[in-house]
Each structure stands twice: as C-alpha cells, then as structure tokens.
C-alpha cells in the first residue's frame, strides 16, 4: 500500500461516514488484499451464530461459497431453515445445517457445545455474530445485562467449551464487533450496566468495547491450541437488525449503507485468507485498525484485567 493510499485509508476511518459506508467499501476494494482463493475452505467446517438473517446469513453464504460445511446457529428454527434454503439456492452443492441455541443462556450454551463437539469432531471457523440491542435494560436468565451476555459471556464460554474440536489445526475465531465501541470506555466498574440511565445503544457499544479490549487476552488463552482470535467491525450495513433496532439511523443513512455481503466480507476474509492474519487484533475492511481515537476511552491494564476476571467468574472458568 502506497503512502497516499494509507493516508486515504486513514482519512476514511477518521471521518467515519465515508469509511463505514458503502463508499469506503467500494474505495478500499481497489487496494485491499486479494480475495481468498476459490475452495479455500473445502473440507473445513464453520459455525456461525446469529445466522438467521443479515450479516450472519451473509457470512454463512460467503463461507459456503469457499467450500465450507456451514452450521447456522439460531434461536428461531424457521428463520434458520429459511437462511439455509437461501444459501443452498445460491450454492447448490453447499452442506448447510441448522443448530438451535440462545447464546445469552449459559446453560444452553453448555448443552449446545457438548452436543456439537460429540457430533462434529473438527471445527475450523467459529464466527460469533449473534447480537442484540434492547430498548430497555433486560437481563439474561443468568442475571446478566443482555448485550454483555450475548456479545461477551456466551461467546467466551462457547469457544472455551469447543476448544477440543477447534484445537490443533489453525482454527480461527471471529467476533463481530461494532465501530460504535469507539465512543465508549471499558465498563470495568459496572460491566452489567446496573448504574446510571440505561440506553440500549450505549449498552451495545460498551459490550463491543469489551470484545475489542479482551481480544489480546482471548488470543493468549487459546494460542496454545493453535486458535487465532480476531475481532472486526462490519461498517454500516443494511440488515434486519439495524432496521428494527435503529429505524431512524437506517432511514437517514439508507442511501449509503452497505449490503449484508459487504458487511460480512472481512469476516469471510479473516476465516479463509492465506497466510493466516495475526490474531488478537481489531479489523475493518481487511486491515487492522486502531482500537481508540480518543484518550478518554483508553483503558488501563488493571481495568482490562478486572473485566477479564469478571468474565471468567461469570461463566465459571479458571
């Protein structure tokens, strides 16, 4: 990448609107790394959470196009079946399976992971895409604020329990975060958002900040098993989740929103590119990105460790 291209790439990120929109996607396609080779995932197995529509379905489609056997993890079996049918219509030879689990429910995650590991001896790609943005503070069945349960606790526990089938063959784990995390500090003293006036968008961004801050620690925890951990943000994509949770935002930005396949592009690239990208980083449009733009959002090592200990305790891990 030339100095001029790097400067333009940075400018797109700093100005947000062009960088996160379809404009940035179209521009960056002219200089970003090559697409994964055809059949790059042939013979490999992928699991995508939140795969009933939007980015999850688009990720499943992208992985299937590269030859992967894809497991779509959903809460709604009918939506999962419709997503699987849509993928098969695009990729007739695709092997697609629908799995059921509520990622916010830690007992359900344990049951799912145990059953999946018994049935599927090898997992190469695990994409944590399941997401939620409640209008009011809502707790999971385990008593945790819902966004942190879905975006942090469920994914950490699921990955840990699937280590036996992820280990030993350069597996890749991708967490789908959000650029909204740039506006929030790591909530070290209140990870369950019990204090202050609750806002769904703030809760969502705080939980995504937790994903990004913990990425290096997750990478270190699972490195010995040959597992690479990546966190990425998809930019602004037109998905059912955005339309239902942020209708005003979707209406105002509609003309420049990315489609779901563009939002999922970096997930698929991280899952299939060769050589494997380095783990523990935060990615957008096939490039590692800074995790902070403002000094006020930077966490200390002590704050990060405090959240890490809270997560491990919440999911019952050492």
């Amino acid at each position: 990448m030339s100095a001029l291209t790097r400067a333009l790439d940075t400018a797109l990120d700093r100005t947000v609107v062009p960088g996160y929109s379809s404009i940035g996607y179209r521009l960056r396609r002219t200089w970003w790394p090559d697409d994964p080779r055809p059949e790059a995932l042939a013979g490999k197995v992928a699991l995508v959470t939140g795969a009933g529509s939007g980015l999850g379905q688009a990720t499943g489609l992208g992985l299937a196009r590269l030859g992967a056997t894809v497991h779509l993890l959903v809460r709604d079996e009918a939506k999962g079946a419709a997503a699987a049918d849509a993928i098969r219509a695009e990729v007739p030879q695709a092997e697609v399976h629908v799995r059921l689990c509520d990622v916010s429910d830690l007992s359900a995650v344990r049951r799912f992971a145990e059953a999946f590991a018994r049935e599927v001896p090898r997992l190469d790609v695990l994409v944590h895409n399941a997401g939620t943005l409640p209008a009011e503070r809502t707790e999971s069945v385990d008593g945790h604020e819902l966004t942190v349960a879905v975006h942090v606790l469920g994914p950490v526990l699921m990955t840990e329990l699937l280590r036996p089938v992820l280990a030993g063959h350069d597996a890749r784990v991708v967490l789908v975060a959000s650029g909204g995390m740039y506006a929030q500090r790591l909530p070290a003293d209140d990870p369950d958002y019990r204090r202050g006036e609750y806002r769904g968008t703030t809760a969502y961004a705080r939980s995504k900040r937790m994903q990004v801050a913990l990425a290096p620690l997750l990478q270190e925890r699972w490195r010995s098993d040959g597992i690479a951990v990546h966190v990425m943000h998809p930019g602004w994509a037109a998905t059912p989740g955005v339309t239902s949770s942020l209708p005003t935002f979707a209406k105002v930005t509609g003309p420049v929103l990315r489609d779901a396949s563009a939002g999922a592009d970096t997930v698929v690239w991280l899952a299939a590119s060769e050589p494997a990208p380095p783990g523990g980083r935060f990615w957008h449009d096939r490039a590692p990105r800074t995790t902070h733009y403002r000094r006020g959002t930077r966490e200390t090592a002590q704050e990060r460790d405090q959240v890490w200990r809270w997560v491990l305790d919440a999911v019952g891990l050492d």
Side-chain angles (χ1 to χ4, degrees):
M1 186 185 294
S2 69
L4 179 61
T5 300
R6 283 196 298 271
L8 176 57
D9 186 57
T10 300
L12 287 171
D13 253 8
R14 296 297 179 92
T15 49
V16 179
V17 175
Y20 290 12
S21 69
S22 58
I23 299 168
Y25 176 76
R26 289 195 298 268
L27 283 173
R28 287 178 172 134
R29 282 187 62 85
T30 65
W31 67 68
W32 69 17
D34 292 339
D35 292 342
R37 60 180 176 80
E39 299 299 311
L41 296 177
K44 297 190 176 182
V45 178
L47 171 64
V48 183
T49 74
S53 63
L55 293 178
Q57 180 179 329
T59 297
L61 175 59
L63 299 173
R65 281 175 170 158
L66 295 175
T69 295
V70 180
H71 296 262
L72 307 178
L73 186 65
V74 297
R75 290 187 302 164
D76 185 322
E77 188 171 11
K79 286 183 66 176
D85 287 344
I87 292 172
R88 295 187 192 106
E90 293 279 342
V91 188
Q93 73 276 17
E95 185 176 346
V96 187
H97 305 274
V98 177
R99 304 280 180 168
L100 296 178
C101 181
D102 180 350
V103 177
S104 74
D105 182 338
L106 299 180
S107 294
V109 169
R110 291 186 180 94
R111 290 192 298 271
F112 163 76
E114 181 181 356
F116 186 87
R118 282 200 308 266
E119 184 177 340
V120 181
R122 171 177 172 145
L123 181 62
D124 300 275
V125 177
L126 173 56
V127 179
H128 292 294
N129 169 75
T132 187
L133 201 167
E136 299 179 350
R137 189 180 184 281
T138 307
E139 290 191 351
S140 70
V141 296
D142 301 291
H144 295 292
E145 191 277 321
L146 193 59
T147 64
V148 78
V150 173
H151 303 153
V152 181
L153 302 181
V156 169
L157 179 61
M158 184 180 295
T159 307
E160 180 74 19
L161 296 176
L162 291 176
R163 282 175 74 172
V165 293
L166 287 163
H169 47 267
D170 300 320
R172 304 181 194 185
V173 175
V174 183
L175 293 99
V176 179
S178 167
M181 68 95 199
Y182 281 118
Q184 295 297 318
R185 279 186 56 81
L186 188 67
D189 294 328
D190 187 22
D192 262 325
Y193 207 157
R194 299 185 185 280
R195 299 195 295 269
E197 181 183 358
Y198 184 88
R199 293 184 175 86
T201 52
T202 300
Y204 183 88
R206 283 164 51 129
S207 65
K208 297 300 183 178
R209 167 60 73 187
M210 291 172 72
Q211 288 180 325
V212 173
L214 294 179
L217 298 178
L218 296 172
Q219 174 64 53
E220 188 60 31
R221 182 178 182 88
W222 298 321
R223 183 193 308 274
S224 62
D225 290 323
I227 300 169
V229 179
H230 309 288
V231 184
M232 59 78 65
H233 85 84
W236 294 342
T239 66
V242 169
T243 302
S244 62
S245 300
L246 301 170
T248 301
F249 172 81
K251 183 177 181 180
V252 171
T253 59
V256 295
L257 288 179
R258 304 172 177 210
D259 62 23
S261 64
D265 175 88
T266 295
V267 182
V268 176
W269 180 82
L270 286 167
S273 62
E274 299 173 354
R281 290 181 168 183
F282 180 52
W283 299 80
H284 174 54
D285 283 346
R286 303 192 188 186
R289 306 291 171 181
T290 182
T291 57
H292 298 275
Y293 283 124
R294 296 187 292 121
R295 183 179 300 176
T297 66
R298 295 183 182 276
E299 70 273 358
T300 65
Q302 181 180 359
E303 288 171 329
R304 187 178 63 178
D305 290 344
Q306 182 178 341
V307 170
W308 180 226
R309 290 193 299 271
W310 177 84
V311 169
L312 293 177
D313 182 66
V315 300
L317 297 177
D318 294 333

